[in-house]
Amino acid sequence: LRPRQQLLLELTRAVVAVLRAEGLEVWITGGTLLGALRHGGFVPHDDDIDLECFEADVNAIAAAFERHALLAFRLGGRWKETQVAHVGLRGAEVELDIFLREAELAELSDFPSRSETLPLARCDFNGLSLPAPAAPVSFLSRFYGEDWSNTVRVWSHDFNEIHGLAHDPDRVNMPLEQYRDVVATAGYVPPAPPAPLAAPTVGEGCEAGEREHVAVREAEEALAALEALFRPGGPAVRARDASWLEKLRRRNREQA
């Protein structure tokens, strides 16, 4: 998963930077938020990124990514009652999920409420500082259980009770320390933090015009860093090939 996670990390930085440059609210949620608080980044077995935006901004979000040749925006289906959009890298078979929330941010089993979300805070995620709900603990307890901080339930889009023949809930739920031992034995290495951008960080004390200027520069640099990944033999190509090959190997193992 490391090549895929490395690419997702760069994609996340670019997507968040583009949305911020357009003045659109975005924050991490779901397994990405869980990973940030429990692991300081990706849950080691996680294979995607979960973001939230406001549903009312969907047209502006789509327009923001239409201008960038590397990024592809599409509307997907629904997770229960919530519309899901996706932003992916063209030619790399990697995309992240954006859950489009209603303006009220009602308290749902799978999503944080307005009081849990706003005003947005920031979380470290494998070296990135990402916008996050201000009071995430009650949401994580509601969604993942009161023991979310010390118990791991292994689930991914490919490895679950619906799509994974080897998925046995009694075998894939374990204490955090045991999970860490299993992950270390398997040789997992977290993705490296992306190289820092040259643009200065947007601070709360900045004037509105200065914040806008810095946000635009951050987006430009993040997109340039993303383009560099597509050089021949670069991380984007390796991630595409590794993701496809690993899925095939894993499914063959499960069938066996």
Side-chain angles (χ1 to χ4, degrees):
L1 280 175
R2 188 174 192 265
R4 180 181 180 85
Q5 289 180 346
Q6 191 72 59
L7 199 52
L8 278 168
L9 200 59
E10 293 282 2
L11 175 61
T12 300
R13 175 166 71 172
V15 167
V16 169
V18 167
L19 293 175
R20 281 165 52 87
E22 297 293 330
L24 300 171
E25 298 257 49
V26 57
W27 58 95
I28 60 173
T29 191
T32 304
L33 179 62
L34 174 68
L37 269 66
R38 193 173 66 194
H39 302 273
F42 279 102
V43 177
H45 65 264
D46 204 359
D47 56 0
D48 75 343
I49 289 285
D50 301 315
L51 302 176
E52 288 185 36
C53 288
F54 285 109
E55 188 174 26
D57 292 333
V58 64
N59 290 335
I61 294 169
F65 294 113
E66 283 177 359
R67 296 192 289 273
H68 302 293
L70 276 180
L71 302 177
F73 173 87
R74 68 180 179 90
L75 279 177
R78 289 185 175 271
W79 177 260
K80 299 182 179 179
E81 298 301 316
T82 302
Q83 176 78 55
V84 187
H86 309 276
V87 179
L89 283 169
R90 299 183 190 277
E93 298 181 8
V94 172
E95 63 181 12
L96 51 76
D97 301 331
I98 301 178
F99 295 91
L100 300 171
R101 298 293 308 282
E102 77 291 348
E104 295 78 11
L105 294 182
E107 181 180 303
L108 303 173
S109 59
D110 297 0
F111 298 104
S113 66
R114 175 171 285 274
S115 63
E116 292 167 331
T117 302
L118 301 177
L120 293 176
R122 300 195 75 79
C123 271
D124 181 74
F125 190 87
N126 287 114
L128 293 183
S129 177
L130 297 178
V137 172
S138 56
F139 158 62
L140 292 174
S141 298
R142 184 169 69 250
F143 191 15
Y144 295 103
E146 295 290 339
D147 60 349
W148 65 268
S149 64
N150 54 40
T151 300
V152 179
R153 294 166 177 82
V154 180
W155 192 100
S156 74
H157 287 87
D158 290 318
F159 186 69
N160 56 63
E161 65 277 11
I162 299 172
H163 299 116
L165 298 177
H167 190 278
D168 180 352
D170 293 331
R171 296 181 60 194
V172 296
N173 294 352
M174 63 189 74
L176 179 58
E177 290 306 315
Q178 180 185 353
Y179 176 80
R180 285 173 172 160
D181 290 342
V182 170
V183 166
T185 300
Y188 172 78
V189 178
L197 301 177
T201 303
V202 180
E204 291 301 322
C206 295
E207 295 292 334
E210 184 182 355
R211 288 200 300 271
E212 181 179 344
H213 176 69
V214 171
V216 169
R217 283 185 56 196
E218 285 182 347
E220 291 172 349
E221 291 187 25
L223 288 165
L226 206 55
E227 287 183 17
L229 302 180
F230 281 83
R231 65 184 185 275
V237 177
R238 294 200 305 272
R240 178 193 60 205
D241 296 342
S243 296
W244 176 84
L245 188 58
E246 175 53 30
K247 282 184 181 179
L248 181 62
R249 287 172 172 166
R250 179 184 58 73
R251 286 172 179 163
N252 286 343
R253 288 195 299 268
E254 290 180 7
Q255 291 286 353

